[in-house]
């Protein structure tokens, strides 16, 4: 066996081990740490499979952002944890759970193994028509042009998720600000990082969006980096989360889907169909949508991690 | 010339791997939070630094080389900050929690 397949097998094995360890971990926080490590290893697997766009998404969202959300959840649950972890499943319950898991795993395996070979794919068609948008990255082509409808609805789903988080607020805090972070030492390392890193992160986030025209990257990955920079500033206490009822914040939140929808309806009125772009203007139109989207997505992701409003809008 | 460059790469990357290995062993074997952090930061800073140094002769363009150096600098910044924060938390929670020394 040559060295490269051996390394691939090694990484795949570690992914499986970390996955099992994450499920088996008793302590919630340990499970979260396992999940983050699992996501990063999975990103490596995607790179090895030749899907750097998916790898970036997995690392930024599956591991980074979901990790931050889960750490927040684990911290909130910590108070009630001892009482929950002493509840153990009985013998019959365990057998039932194991049987159910085995059946699901077997069903997935059967479906995967009975897929036609070669699998039905639109990849060749997407590659053949890549020229119409003058974008070099086929993944961006699919996300922003061929299947733009899915991407637009994805943004709406993200807004619905934020509404779900906001609706956890108590009545007096409705439209207010999330719980403030613990005051960081103004001379401490976190504040220093929150001052030094954001300029780098903002440039990086925008560049990940910009290069996605021809190279791996994208609006979602760039937005995640921007959201991370915002959260860093918030955690260091250098800024406050805007009140959920604020008009400017709400304008930013609807900007992405609104621009997308406007372009879509424009395509319906002037062009061939909903979300059809004029061929000569495809790239500028896509860029306008992506920049509006990146603003909305970054803000939404940051607010999702910040949590439901707990303080009234007045300071 | 290329043989010399390859030798530099092999030497530096191997040294970097040794630091990663030593840091990992320290992380697993050292008795308390602060000494474990000490081991870990060596792996990050020196290990990754040496790996980047070793890969520099192999890059195709100046841009790629600068990118790798930037990655190392960012890891330095993140590693230093995080280890400070973990050390502060360990100190605040005091001895007894997770075997941390005062």
């Amino acid at each position: 066996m040559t060295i490269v397949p051996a390394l691939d097998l090694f990484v795949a094995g570690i992914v499986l081990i970390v996955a099992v360890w994450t499920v088996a971990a008793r302590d919630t926080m340990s499970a979260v740490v396992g999940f983050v490590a699992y996501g990063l290893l999975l990103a490596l697997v995607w790179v090895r499979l030749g899907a750097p766009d998916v790898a970036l998404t997995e690392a930024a969202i599956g591991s980074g952002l979901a990790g931050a959300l889960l750490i927040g959840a684990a911290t909130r649950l910590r108070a009630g944890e001892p009482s929950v972890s002493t509840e153990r499943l009985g013998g019959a319950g365990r057998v039932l759970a194991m049987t159910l898991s085995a059946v699901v795993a077997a069903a997935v395996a059967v479906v995967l193994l009975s897929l036609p070979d070669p699998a039905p794919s639109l990849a060749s068609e997407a590659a053949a028509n890549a020229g119409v948008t003058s974008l070099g990255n086929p993944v961006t082509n699919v996300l922003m042009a061929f299947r733009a409808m899915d991407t637009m609805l994805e943004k709406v789903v993200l807004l619905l998720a934020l509404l779900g988080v906001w609706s956890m607020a108590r009545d007096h805090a409705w439209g207010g600000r999330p719980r403030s972070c613990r005051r960081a030492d103004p001379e401490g390392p976190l504040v220093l990082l929150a001052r030094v890193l954001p300029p780098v992160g903002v440039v990086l986030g925008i560049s990940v969006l910009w290069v996605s025209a021809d190279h791996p990257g994208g609006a979602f990955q760039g937005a995640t980096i921007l959201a991370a920079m915002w959260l860093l500033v918030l955690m260091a206490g250098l800024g406050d989360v805007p009140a959920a009822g604020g008009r400017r914040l709400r304008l930013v939140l609807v900007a992405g889907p609104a621009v997308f929808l406007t372009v879509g309806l424009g395509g319906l009125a002037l062009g061939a169909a909903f979300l059809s772009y004029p061929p000569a203007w495809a790239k500028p139109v896509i860029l306008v949508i992506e920049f509006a989207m990146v603003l909305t997505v970054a803000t939404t992701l940051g607010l999702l991690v910040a949590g439901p409003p707990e303080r009234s809008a007045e300071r | 010339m290329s043989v010399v460059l390859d030798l530099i790469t092999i030497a530096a990357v191997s040294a970097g791997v040794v630091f990663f290995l030593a840091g990992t062993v320290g992380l697993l074997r050292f008795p308390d939070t602060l000494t474990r952090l000490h081991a870990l930061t060596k792996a990050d800073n020196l290990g990754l630094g040496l790996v980047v140094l070793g890969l520099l002769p192999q890059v195709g363009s100046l841009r790629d080389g600068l990118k790798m150096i930037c990655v190392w600098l960012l890891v330095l910044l993140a590693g230093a900050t995080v280890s400070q924060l973990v050390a502060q938390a360990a100190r605040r929670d005091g001895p007894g929690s997770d075997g941390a020394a005062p």
Side-chain angles (χ1 to χ4, degrees), chain A:
Chain A
M1 189 187 285
T2 49
I3 185 92
V4 171
L7 276 178
D8 285 350
L9 271 181
F10 180 70
V11 172
I14 291 198
V15 167
L16 281 178
I17 291 171
V18 173
V20 170
W21 187 85
T22 304
V23 174
R26 283 283 165 76
D27 179 42
T28 314
M29 201 53 110
S30 311
V32 171
V33 172
F35 182 78
V36 170
Y38 167 77
L40 290 174
L41 287 167
L42 209 56
L44 271 184
V45 172
W46 284 118
V47 170
R48 289 297 306 148
L49 288 173
D53 288 271
V54 186
L56 270 174
T57 314
E58 177 61 43
I61 300 179
S63 191
L65 193 94
L69 277 174
L70 288 173
I71 287 174
T75 314
R76 279 166 192 249
L77 288 174
R78 196 170 251 179
E81 188 153 11
S83 60
V84 176
S85 59
T86 49
E87 284 174 21
R88 310 283 299 159
L89 210 53
R94 280 192 189 192
V95 171
L96 196 66
M98 278 166 68
T99 318
L100 201 61
S101 307
V103 168
V104 170
V108 171
V110 166
V111 169
L112 274 181
L113 291 175
S114 62
L115 281 179
D117 190 33
S121 167
L122 294 172
S124 56
E125 269 189 75
N129 290 301
V132 294
T133 56
S134 61
L135 298 175
N137 182 357
V139 177
T140 309
N141 255 335
V142 171
L143 286 179
M144 295 307 300
F146 305 151
R147 300 296 304 172
M149 180 78 161
D150 298 357
T151 311
M152 186 186 84
L153 292 178
E154 203 178 85
K155 300 299 154 303
V156 178
V157 167
L158 209 56
L159 274 187
L160 288 179
L162 181 63
L163 282 185
V165 169
W166 277 358
S167 63
M168 306 293 282
R170 292 172 191 277
D171 280 348
H172 72 89
W174 177 250
R177 301 165 197 274
R179 176 165 59 172
S180 54
C181 297
R182 180 162 26 195
R183 268 268 159 265
D185 173 13
E187 301 287 317
L190 188 60
V191 173
L192 178 71
L193 189 71
R195 288 186 197 280
V196 174
L197 200 56
V200 183
V202 168
V203 171
L204 196 67
I206 294 175
S207 104
V208 165
L209 163 67
W210 182 254
V211 300
S212 71
D214 297 310
H215 301 284
F220 225 102
Q221 294 92 323
T224 314
I225 299 176
L226 294 180
M229 292 305 115
W230 189 37
L231 285 167
L232 183 62
V233 170
L234 293 178
M235 283 174 187
L238 295 177
D240 202 359
V241 190
R247 178 151 303 175
R248 276 192 6 223
L249 178 73
R250 294 195 173 182
L251 272 179
V252 169
L253 286 180
V254 297
V259 168
F260 224 141
L261 208 58
T262 311
V263 171
L265 292 174
L268 196 59
L270 306 172
F274 185 66
L275 277 173
S276 67
Y277 310 134
W281 289 85
K283 190 170 176 182
V285 167
I286 287 176
L287 273 178
V288 167
I289 297 176
E290 283 201 308
F291 269 96
M293 221 166 74
V294 100
L295 201 64
T296 298
V297 173
T299 314
T300 313
L301 295 180
L303 290 172
L304 279 176
V305 176
E310 292 186 17
R311 295 174 284 157
S312 59
E314 297 82 39
R315 280 164 197 259

Side-chain angles (χ1 to χ4, degrees), chain B residues 25-46:
Chain B
V25 171
L27 177 71
L28 295 175
R29 301 289 300 169
F30 278 164
D32 60 60
T33 309
L34 293 184
T35 47
R36 283 198 288 264
L37 273 180
H38 170 75
L40 198 60
T41 44
K42 298 302 157 294
D44 270 5
N45 301 352
L46 277 167

Side-chain angles (χ1 to χ4, degrees), chain B residues 18-66:
Chain B
V18 168
F19 273 102
F20 268 109
L21 195 69
T24 310
V25 171
L27 177 71
L28 295 175
R29 301 289 300 169
F30 278 164
D32 60 60
T33 309
L34 293 184
T35 47
R36 283 198 288 264
L37 273 180
H38 170 75
L40 198 60
T41 44
K42 298 302 157 294
D44 270 5
N45 301 352
L46 277 167
L48 185 64
L50 283 167
V51 169
V52 168
L53 193 71
L55 291 179
L56 280 183
Q58 309 293 330
V59 296
S61 66
L62 185 66
R63 236 176 78 154
D64 291 350
L66 284 177

